[in-house]
Amino acid sequence: LFFLSFLFIGALGGYGIYRYIREEFLYGDSKTFNYSYNYNVMSIDLTENFEQTKEEGFVTVMTSDDVKVYVTCEKDELRFPDYYNSLEGYAKLVISNNHLGDTEIHTKDDLTYFNYISGDCYYYAFVYEYEDDFWMIQFEVSEENRMKYHYLILDWADSVSFE
């Protein structure tokens, strides 16, 4: 019993150390989940370092010093062929329409996304479906900051919710 208690406490302590290292050393002042940005039916938890703006062609854009977040929504009026009516199918359609070649689609937990490089920027493009609409949220980060923000971007993408 003592040994099992020790393992349980050790596991909790290990997770706490992991979170501390991840947040303090990898992200510095960029803590996760301290401000929620909302647009219409979509919500995402980022940091207070982001400023919400508008750019042509996007539902909304959130910008910080190192990361830019672009949000798009394909309305149900656009009626996609049946073989695109899934998250993976929609991701394939976006990849094809943007000539991104053999871009691999990833599924992690409940997230469906793909990555691509354009210029000196690295993109994480996550796709979501709410009602009959497809949403895409792209995180842009410089190639040099890609690994620094990788897990934080996954956390932010996982925080996306719809009304």
Side-chain angles (χ1 to χ4, degrees), residues 36-92:
S36 185
Y37 293 83
N38 299 295
Y39 185 85
N40 201 354
V41 298
M42 189 275 306
S43 175
I44 184 170
D45 295 329
L46 299 168
T47 68
E48 61 195 19
N49 300 334
F50 283 84
E51 179 181 321
Q52 195 166 7
T53 61
K54 287 289 289 175
E55 283 189 29
E56 178 109 19
F58 299 98
V59 171
T60 191
V61 176
M62 280 101 32
T63 306
S64 74
D65 289 340
D66 293 334
V67 180
K68 199 167 188 178
V69 182
Y70 300 92
V71 179
T72 56
C73 178
E74 300 283 353
K75 294 292 185 186
D76 61 351
E77 305 91 47
L78 296 177
R79 287 290 126 215
F80 301 106
D82 286 341
Y83 52 90
Y84 289 125
N85 281 333
S86 69
L87 291 176
E88 188 171 324
Y90 178 65
K92 287 179 183 177

Side-chain angles (χ1 to χ4, degrees), residues 92-106:
K92 287 179 183 177
L93 179 65
V94 171
I95 290 167
S96 174
N97 286 347
N98 290 284
H99 311 289
L100 298 177
D102 293 330
T103 302
E104 184 178 346
I105 298 171
H106 307 280

Side-chain angles (χ1 to χ4, degrees), residues 119-136:
D120 63 347
C121 294
Y122 192 85
Y123 292 86
Y124 293 80
F126 294 85
V127 293
Y128 304 86
E129 186 174 11
Y130 176 70
E131 294 181 347
D132 289 331
D133 301 336
F134 284 107
W135 291 73
M136 185 166 61

